Amino acid sequence: MERYKVVIIGSGPAGHTAALYTARANLEPLVLEGIQPGGQLTTTTEVENFPGFEDGIMGPVLMENMKKQALRFGAKYLSKTVTKVDLKKRPFQIFDESGQQYLAETVIIATGASALYLGLPKEKELIGKGVSACATCDGFFYKNKIVYVVGGGDTAMEEATFLTKFASKVYLVHRRDQFRASKPMQDRVLKNPKIECVLNSTVSELISDSQGLNGVVITNLLTGESKLHKTDGLFMAIGHSPNTRFLQGHVALDEKGFIKTLHGTPETEIPGVFAAGDVQDSYYRQAITAAGSGCQAALRAERYLVEQDIH
Ligand code: NDP
């Protein structure tokens, strides 16, 4: 059975950057890419805020380039999804979906997070056909159209505001009468004449035809009254869920399932196990911050191996 100095779980910006740094340190890392190689950025179009690309770069291209860069220095990639770990044993044991076992002196967990959806019938099949969780990715398709955004946090404010660049009207549907978003972001929404807030309400049904979404039923949670509204786009902004189900009971997670790290470092409470990117960050969630924490995790793993005298 192959034994690796570093096994990286996940292949978004955090995983690729950790692979690049550990490969350049001659640690011959193994990357287990997961169910969505490249992570959330592969579902975006143009990335305009990753430094170094003055004209922007397509998300999937950025991920492919990061992978090629890590491969150039000897990182090994396998198209496998981790389903089980044993972090009590040394070396650590990692299992993929086929039961294949990998032994690791250090583990860098970079499995990211996934957008939450409402769980309505037809919702998943309408993703990309009117239902989205990323205004930055899909807003462009809604020029002069009416769209709905669900949520009351900073993401919902940001998405609603961003969508006004394209849409003729944005309805912001929130289940309470108070937003949890920060005051400046709320103010920006409340001042925007293109945004109308629909409070104490939820989207209770999706209406579609063969072309995709064409309406939503909005239910007022106080009166119970439901009404059909025509729309072309529905954007979910109700938070993200970290991809940590396989880690439950193996590493400390917070109440939302994000990995708990120590004192702003990529260290978990298990020496030799590190976490990077969105799987441990519910706040910044940027490609550049994920890449930065992937670098930090790699440097910590390298130092840990030196301290343990593992060559
Ligand atoms: P949050 O968890 O902060 O907010 C989620 C929102 O969705 C809440 O208003 C919640 O309602 C609502 N919601 C959750 N589940 C449902 C449901 N099933 N049905 C209807 N509504 C639901 O997530 P965000 O993604 O907004 O933010 C995550 C973190 O990222 C926060 O810390 C935020 O501050 C940060 N962030 C910062 C930004 C910035 O500073 N530029 C931009 C974006 C995010 P309720 O309020 O009733 O619980």
Side-chain angles (χ1 to χ4, degrees):
M1 193 178 314
E2 284 195 78
R3 186 166 172 158
Y4 295 89
K5 290 195 245 341
V6 183
V7 171
I8 297 161
I9 310 176
S11 58
H16 286 320
T17 307
L20 172 64
Y21 271 75
T22 50
R24 289 194 76 250
N26 264 342
L27 298 174
E28 299 167 327
L30 170 68
V31 182
L32 298 169
E33 289 186 288
I35 220 157
Q36 188 182 22
Q40 291 182 80
L41 273 194
T42 57
T43 65
T44 64
T45 51
E46 191 156 8
V47 179
E48 292 182 325
N49 55 7
F50 200 90
F53 300 93
E54 62 174 335
D55 299 320
I57 181 165
M58 298 304 275
V61 176
L62 179 61
M63 289 302 92
E64 198 48 39
N65 288 352
M66 282 192 188
K67 177 175 174 178
K68 282 189 201 148
Q69 199 175 350
L71 283 169
R72 180 154 80 90
F73 293 101
K76 180 173 163 184
Y77 280 73
L78 291 181
S79 176
K80 299 285 180 190
T81 300
V82 174
T83 52
K84 208 170 100 184
V85 291
D86 187 340
L87 303 177
K88 287 196 178 76
K89 294 211 178 83
R90 305 281 170 145
F92 302 118
Q93 296 184 3
I94 294 162
F95 300 86
D96 69 21
E97 70 275 38
S98 64
Q100 171 75 42
Q101 186 182 356
Y102 308 86
L103 299 178
E105 306 293 352
T106 65
V107 180
I108 297 176
I109 304 164
T111 45
S114 306
L116 291 174
Y117 289 84
L118 290 169
L120 295 171
K122 294 191 287 187
E123 193 177 33
K124 286 270 146 92
E125 61 206 68
L126 287 170
I127 293 173
K129 291 182 182 164
V131 173
S132 170
C134 179
T136 326
C137 320
D138 301 327
F140 187 77
F141 303 118
Y142 295 91
K143 266 189 185 159
N144 299 320
K145 302 210 160 153
I146 295 171
V147 298
Y148 283 73
V149 175
V150 185
D154 283 332
T155 303
M157 304 300 130
E158 207 166 64
E159 304 268 275
T161 306
F162 180 79
L163 284 165
T164 60
K165 288 194 200 181
F166 311 99
S168 56
K169 180 92 191 176
V170 177
Y171 290 95
L172 178 57
V173 183
H174 180 42
R175 63 185 177 185
R176 294 188 293 133
D177 63 354
Q178 305 259 316
F179 290 124
R180 76 171 55 230
S182 62
K183 178 97 176 39
M185 294 188 71
Q186 286 190 37
D187 288 347
R188 207 172 304 155
V189 161
L190 297 171
K191 272 193 218 137
N192 193 319
K194 274 186 162 182
I195 303 176
E196 190 173 319
C197 298
V198 185
L199 300 176
N200 296 311
S201 297
T202 190
V203 172
S204 52
E205 200 182 331
L206 305 178
I207 311 298
S208 61
D209 59 19
S210 57
Q211 304 292 305
L213 183 82
N214 57 31
V216 289
V217 175
I218 308 271
T219 300
N220 183 305
L221 295 168
L222 299 182
T223 63
E225 189 194 343
S226 292
K227 215 168 152 193
L228 170 65
H229 299 262
K230 288 256 164 229
T231 184
D232 300 292
L234 174 64
F235 288 82
M236 303 299 173
I238 59 171
H240 283 75
S241 173
N243 300 319
T244 51
R245 197 178 298 173
F246 71 104
L247 294 168
Q248 273 168 14
H250 299 282
V251 68
L253 307 176
D254 71 12
E255 67 285 352
K256 286 190 172 167
F258 290 90
I259 297 177
K260 281 190 187 172
T261 51
L262 306 178
H263 319 299
T265 72
E267 286 175 33
T268 68
E269 90 283 15
I270 305 171
V273 177
F274 306 90
D278 288 9
V279 75
Q280 50 84 58
D281 166 27
S282 63
Y283 188 80
Y284 296 106
R285 300 189 294 106
Q286 300 301 301
I288 187 66
T289 50
S293 73
C295 162
Q296 289 177 316
L299 296 178
R300 288 278 176 160
E302 190 185 338
R303 189 166 306 167
Y304 172 85
L305 290 168
V306 170
E307 284 163 6
Q308 302 300 309
D309 216 10
I310 297 170
H311 303 284

